[in-house]
Every structure is written in structure tokens, then in C-alpha cells.
Amino acid sequence: MTLNHHSNTVCLCPLDGIIETIGKKWALLLVNEIGNHDSLRYNNLLKELKGISPSTLASMLKELQKEDIIFREAFNEIPPRVEYTLTKRGKELRIAIIPLLKWATKKGNFKIHCNCSLLKK
Amino acid sequence: MTLNHHSNTVCLCPLDGIIETIGKKWALLLVNEIGNHDSLRYNNLLKELKGISPSTLASMLKELQKEDIIFREAFNEIPPRVEYTLTKRGKELRIAIIPLLKWATKKGNFKIHCNCSLLKK
DNA sequence: CAGCATCCTGTGCGATACTG
DNA sequence: CAGTATCGCACAGGATGCTG
């Protein structure tokens, strides 16, 4: 994806690269789910995100780690334990998408009913 | 994509469905390009969005029309003329992604250099 | 428990040629 | 000019079974 610079117009260059990650089917759901729980483990995520497959979850987790959005902490125990949390950047992302959520709720003439506390402010 | 409702947490239900469109490779670039020019024609878009193929452009245009993000106006002339503009909803989308753009510019310790006027406010 | 390896399907998307 | 039709590839992502 090639993005241009224009001083008098909006450019999307900052999104270059990150859109491929953020736009993926489970990316934001994953970020949100972890954010809602502070910390989550692999099998928890597998259950909470109904429908995601192990392989897909694993690859998304890696990708989001690489983008410094989530943090992986492994404990040397038996059985093994791994906790996923949002990084500072990940928490900021969660905030940054709120306008987009608000936009999405206004569809045509009707408004999608949603109980999200953050959308009511 | 299945999204849950939780009253005390952030939910992504509003994004259900729309993410599949917005997250696509050319979607935001297309919205932005049209927004920057007020109005654009098919072949203009083909040139401005360097690298997009005719078929991809055509399918994206259709999808964005269906989502009420862009508007297609055909003139009965020879040769044929078709103008694409942003709908009200499309213009709002363009504004709604600015926080996301700002977020994306802050990558780790360095800041992406970008000349976008809207990002400097 | 937390994944990885493997296989398989759907589809996003590019290239090119053609049409009303 | 504004697309459509056809082909082909790459990859997202599901299902299942295996491993440290």
C-alpha cells in the first residue's frame, strides 16, 4: 500500500502497514477482549472469542505483539501459564477507535442499539 | 464476526460488518482520495490510487456505495461521465478515523513524520 | 496449558482483454 | 469513458491432531 504526502489534505500515511493488522477479522476484538479483562490467558481467549481457531489466535497474538499492542508474559510453571495484557500503546488504540465506533452506530436513519458505557459519554 | 454486548465494558458491536469493508486494503485510501478532491471520476481514481486494478476499484466502489459512504452520479453524455463523491456519512467517516491516524503516528519511541494538516491541530 | 504443524477452502486483489 | 469478464496467485483463517 502506497500512501502520499499532501500538506493541504488528509493523508493516510500513518496507517501504512498498521491497517493490514488492525483491519483483520479478529484484531480489534482481541484487543478489546484483553482490554476488558486487564489480563487473559490463551485458552480464555479461545473461549471468549467464540469461533476463533487456535492457529488463527496464535498468529494474531504474535502479530499484535510485534506491533507492540499486546504484551505476553510467560510464567515458568507446570502446567505453563501465559498472561496477555495490553501495552500502553494497546490501551491508547482502544481509545482511538471510539470515534469510529460512534460513527458506525449511526447507520442511515436508525441508530444501532448498544450498551457500551464509553459510547454514552 | 460475533460481537457481544456488555454494559460495563467496551464492545465492538457497532463495528460488526463494517470492519470487513473499512479494513480492506483500498477502502480508506479511496474514501480519503475522493474526500480530498470533493469529486472524482473512475479513471482519475485509477491513476491517483497507484497500483489498484480496474476490477478491484470497481468492486470497492460498489461496496462503499452499498455502505452509504460514497455516492455515484452518472451523467447521460457521450462519452459517459460518472462522478464519485462522499456522502454525509462518508465525510463523517473521514473525520472519525483521525484519532486512529494520530495513534498510528506514535510508534514506539519515534514519531512518524507526516505533513497532514489535520494531524497538527 | 499453550501453542505448532498440516491441510484445506474462500476470497481479496492484481493483470489483462474486452464491451456498451 | 466506465466499467465487466476471466484467470491466477497469495494469504486469511477454519479444522484437526500433535507436542513440550
Side-chain angles (χ1 to χ4, degrees):
Chain A
M1 194 186 322
T2 308
L3 298 156
N4 304 320
H5 294 249
H6 298 298
S7 48
N8 283 333
T9 54
V10 179
C11 88
L12 299 177
C13 32
L15 282 175
D16 197 4
I18 199 67
I19 262 286
E20 275 85 4
T21 297
I22 295 308
K24 282 184 184 165
K25 184 175 177 183
W26 296 100
L28 289 180
L29 266 59
L30 197 43
V31 168
N32 191 54
E33 198 61 41
I34 297 177
N36 281 342
H37 289 79
D38 287 334
S39 161
L40 273 178
R41 302 171 63 173
Y42 183 87
N43 274 325
N44 291 130
L45 286 166
L46 218 47
K47 285 168 209 154
E48 298 276 350
L49 301 175
K50 295 183 202 310
I52 198 172
S53 70
S55 46
T56 303
L57 176 56
S59 74
M60 275 310 308
L61 286 170
K62 270 189 187 167
E63 196 169 342
L64 291 174
Q65 284 169 64
K66 221 181 63 186
E67 293 297 337
D68 186 32
I69 289 170
I70 65 176
F71 175 68
R72 191 195 116 116
E73 188 176 13
F75 299 88
N76 249 343
E77 304 173 0
I78 295 182
R81 181 165 61 102
V82 176
E83 303 264 4
Y84 291 97
T85 53
L86 290 187
T87 62
K88 179 165 172 290
R89 183 168 152 79
K91 289 174 191 167
E92 288 165 359
L93 169 60
R94 217 159 148 258
I95 304 301
I97 60 171
I98 290 179
L100 196 58
L101 291 174
K102 286 185 178 174
W103 170 84
T105 60
K106 292 188 299 173
K107 183 136 183 169
N109 292 325
F110 68 96
K111 215 167 178 290
I112 294 175
H113 200 63
C114 179
N115 282 332
C116 315
S117 52
L118 272 168
L119 294 182
K120 288 176 179 168
K121 289 179 185 172
Chain B
M1 195 185 321
T2 309
L3 297 156
N4 304 319
H5 294 251
H6 299 296
S7 50
N8 283 333
T9 53
V10 179
C11 88
L12 301 177
C13 32
L15 282 176
D16 198 4
I18 198 67
I19 261 286
E20 275 85 6
T21 297
I22 295 308
K24 279 183 185 165
K25 184 176 177 182
W26 295 100
L28 290 180
L29 266 59
L30 197 42
V31 168
N32 190 56
E33 197 62 41
I34 297 176
N36 281 343
H37 290 78
D38 286 337
S39 161
L40 273 177
R41 302 171 64 173
Y42 184 87
N43 274 325
N44 291 129
L45 285 166
L46 219 46
K47 285 167 208 153
E48 298 275 350
L49 300 175
K50 296 184 202 309
I52 198 171
S53 70
S55 46
T56 303
L57 177 57
S59 74
M60 274 311 309
L61 286 170
K62 273 187 186 166
E63 196 169 343
L64 291 174
Q65 283 169 67
K66 220 181 64 186
E67 294 296 337
D68 185 33
I69 289 169
I70 66 176
F71 175 69
R72 190 194 115 115
E73 188 175 13
F75 300 87
N76 249 343
E77 304 175 358
I78 294 183
R81 181 164 61 101
V82 176
E83 303 264 5
Y84 291 97
T85 53
L86 290 188
T87 62
K88 181 166 171 289
R89 184 169 150 79
K91 289 174 190 166
E92 288 165 359
L93 170 59
R94 216 158 149 259
I95 304 301
I97 60 170
I98 290 179
L100 196 58
L101 291 173
K102 287 185 178 174
W103 171 83
T105 58
K106 292 187 299 174
K107 183 137 184 167
N109 292 326
F110 68 96
K111 219 168 177 283
I112 293 174
H113 201 64
C114 177
N115 281 333
C116 314
S117 52
L118 273 169
L119 294 183
K120 287 177 180 170
K121 287 178 186 172

